[in-house]
Each structure stands twice: as structure tokens, then as C-alpha cells.
Amino acid sequence: MKVIIGVGGMTNGGKTTLTNSLLKSLPNCCVIHQDDFFKPQDQIAVGEDGFKQWDVLESLDMEAMLSTVQAWARNPRKFAHAHGVSVHPDASDTHILILEGFLLYSYKPLVDLYSRKYFLTVPYEECKRRRSTRNYVVPDPPGLFDGHVWPMYQKYKREMEANGVEVVHLDGTRSREELFHQVLEDIQNSLLNHS
């Protein structure tokens, strides 16, 4: 059985933290981070808002991400070995791929591949606070959060909802442990129902 799980949502919502916890707890589990598919900085356009457009789908090489997902789907065992993931003999028929990122549900060719789709959110003030504590390779210029990041999050969330993408909403202000146990239990129940 092959299972693809999406851990999506807003910037600094807790996606990577949740993904890393799940990765340690699920058998034969690989992860693909959407952030690994950003185009080079010189290919990121400057928008009408005056900011580099990092928080739009066009800033990502989604075709390359889809190709990576397809490589896993063709041969999850080979993909796991190539990415340093040990295949557990007692669960060798179950292979799990977690896709983690902020625009996972905005790229139509990926939307129908997910077995489960999770979407983490935190309130505006908490998101802004968390974002301000992060150190990015390309530092945030003044005003980026309010002028670009938050408006793009709202735009893509509205589009996701308008397109009828069904997700399990998660409150990113809950403790890491609570979120992890909620999602792990949900995934384990889903695996049991499909076996």
C-alpha cells in the first residue's frame, strides 16, 4: 500500500515540526519538502507590491516536485533507500510519503494524489511573531509579512476553499505533542481501514 500525506498550511504554522515527528514514527516513511523546490533567487519576480514573490506558486518548480513524487510512486523502496530511509520488514508492504509545504493544495496535479490532507493555521499575530523569530537564507525585508506573505496566504487559502479541496484543519497553537498524536492516530486509523 502506498500512502501520500500532505502537511500544508501557512508559513510558520508548525508544518516541519509535525512532519519531522511523523517521519520518526511511521514505517517506511519518506518526506519531500516543498521548500526544496524554490527556483533560484534571480528567477523570483518582483511584484506590484514591491517584494520578491517568494510566496506564490510560480516561485516553485512544481513540475520537479511532481516528478519527485512520481519517482517515489514508481518505486517507494528504491526511493527510500536512495534517501537513507530503512525499510521495515514487518511493514514492507506499506510505504508512506509526506509532502510538506505552504502551497501543497494549490497545484492541481498533486491535489488528487493525497490520501490525507492536513492544513495547519495559527492566528495572524502568532504567525507574524513566529516569522519574526526565524532566520531565512534570504532575510525578510521590512514590511514583507504584511505586504506580501499574509496577503498571499489569504489568497491561496481562499482559492483552495473555492476549489473544494477538502483538508483536515489543525490548530497550530496547540502543543506539538497534541498535534502529533492527533495526526498520527488519524493516519494509523486510515492505514488500518485500508489494509
Side-chain angles (χ1 to χ4, degrees), residues 17-139:
T17 301
L18 176 58
T19 296
N20 290 339
S21 296
L22 292 170
L23 186 62
K24 295 173 190 170
S25 301
L26 293 168
N28 306 331
C29 185
C30 296
V31 65
I32 296 173
H33 298 280
Q34 191 173 42
D35 283 358
D36 292 340
F37 294 90
F38 272 112
K39 294 177 181 173
Q41 186 172 346
D42 63 351
Q43 293 180 25
I44 305 300
V46 174
E48 291 178 13
D49 58 15
F51 296 109
K52 286 247 184 192
Q53 302 294 290
W54 290 105
D55 290 78
V56 300
L57 198 58
E58 295 76 21
S59 70
L60 298 154
D61 186 346
M62 293 304 295
E63 292 81 14
M65 185 174 181
L66 179 61
S67 293
T68 305
V69 172
Q70 292 167 334
W72 174 86
R74 279 191 301 276
N75 192 335
R77 184 180 301 273
K78 181 179 177 182
F79 189 95
H81 288 301
H83 291 84
V85 175
S86 300
V87 175
H88 299 269
D90 56 334
S92 60
D93 290 340
T94 301
H95 295 276
I96 300 169
L97 177 65
I98 299 175
L99 302 184
E100 179 268 328
F102 68 110
L103 292 175
L104 292 182
Y105 312 128
S106 298
Y107 186 64
K108 181 66 175 137
L110 282 179
V111 170
D112 296 331
L113 299 180
Y114 298 105
S115 304
R116 302 294 286 165
K117 296 184 281 289
Y118 300 98
F119 192 84
L120 282 145
T121 60
V122 296
Y124 165 84
E125 289 297 334
E126 177 64 10
C127 185
K128 188 173 183 176
R129 184 194 67 74
R130 290 181 185 184
R131 178 90 180 201
S132 71
T133 65
R134 295 281 295 273
N135 292 316
Y136 291 99
V137 175
V138 179

Side-chain angles (χ1 to χ4, degrees), residues 170-185:
L170 300 173
D171 178 356
T173 63
R174 290 178 54 208
S175 76
R176 293 174 180 187
E177 294 77 22
E178 284 180 300
L179 284 170
F180 165 67
H181 289 294
Q182 175 189 348
V183 173
L184 181 63
E185 183 178 327

